[in-house]
Amino acid sequence: MAVKSATGPQIGGVGLIVLCFLASAALRVTESGAAIAEEIGAMASGDPEVAGAATVDGAPDALLSAIRDRETQLAAEERRMTDRAQTLSVAEAKLAEQLAAFEAARRQLEETLAQADAAAENDISRMTTVYENMKPAEAARIMERMDVSFAAGLMARMRPEIAAQVLAGMEADAAYAVTLTIASRNAAVPTE
């Protein structure tokens, strides 16, 4: 996992190892590098006498303090990143849950709309059958009073020979309006 400091670029595991090697080389090149290396080795082994003997001047202590401070900063940054990752995981889980609920609601709505469309289609089919079974003159008299769009919808579903008889029984203006509505329904549909 890569570690990113608040002020610097992101350092990966390989970068951290390279940084340690470079720091080790720099320590060995300097005069007190051997003493610092001995102090770090003594601290790692837990031998306080060797660690105390290695700190003759203040430079190794300052370096060790800087290393410890940086280690503390990295640990704090790691905790912050872990907390953020947990927060993101919780948010992702909530989002996934909400998306699943949305999808279920969408499917339910589609089913409800399909049922409503089927019911409306059944009702219109039933009414078309009723008007087809009426005497054409009676159907014409009723259709003249209907909204032109609704009358045109019913007339378009009727068998052509019955629709012709009903149109013949309607007043000329009403028959013209119904005919024009039926003929213009698909005028805006692209032909290509």
Side-chain angles (χ1 to χ4, degrees):
M1 176 176 152
V3 177
K4 182 177 179 183
S5 71
T7 59
Q10 194 173 17
I11 300 175
V14 174
L16 191 56
I17 292 171
V18 169
L19 186 62
C20 288
F21 280 131
L22 289 175
S24 174
L27 288 174
R28 291 170 196 229
V29 170
T30 64
E31 286 181 23
S32 60
I36 294 170
E38 288 176 17
E39 180 182 350
I40 292 173
M43 290 185 147
S45 69
D47 187 0
E49 291 179 8
V50 177
T55 59
V56 176
D57 58 4
D61 288 335
L63 181 61
L64 187 58
S65 176
I67 290 172
R68 287 183 179 151
D69 288 346
R70 183 65 180 148
E71 183 179 339
T72 303
Q73 290 173 355
L74 290 175
E77 182 67 19
E78 183 179 0
R79 282 191 303 274
R80 189 184 72 75
M81 296 298 282
T82 301
D83 290 346
R84 185 171 180 174
Q86 288 174 347
T87 302
L88 286 174
S89 293
V90 169
E92 285 176 353
K94 285 182 181 179
L95 180 61
E97 183 179 310
Q98 288 174 345
L99 285 174
F102 174 75
E103 184 63 27
R106 186 188 62 78
R107 280 194 306 272
Q108 181 64 37
L109 179 61
E110 285 177 353
E111 290 173 8
T112 302
L113 288 174
Q115 289 173 353
D117 286 346
E121 180 65 31
N122 287 340
D123 290 344
I124 291 174
S125 292
R126 190 175 308 116
M127 289 308 300
T128 301
T129 303
V130 167
Y131 279 95
E132 282 181 336
N133 290 325
M134 292 174 74
K135 293 182 180 178
E138 291 174 7
R141 189 172 41 88
I142 295 170
M143 285 190 163
E144 287 175 343
R145 296 180 152 205
M146 286 182 190
D147 176 66
V148 174
S149 295
F150 187 73
L154 286 176
M155 188 87 56
R157 292 168 174 263
M158 289 182 172
R159 293 189 309 263
E161 63 276 1
I162 295 175
Q165 292 173 1
V166 172
L167 273 175
M170 294 174 77
E171 291 180 11
D173 289 341
Y176 174 76
V178 168
T179 303
L180 185 62
T181 302
I182 292 172
S184 64
R185 282 188 171 179
N186 296 319
V189 175
T191 56
E192 292 181 21

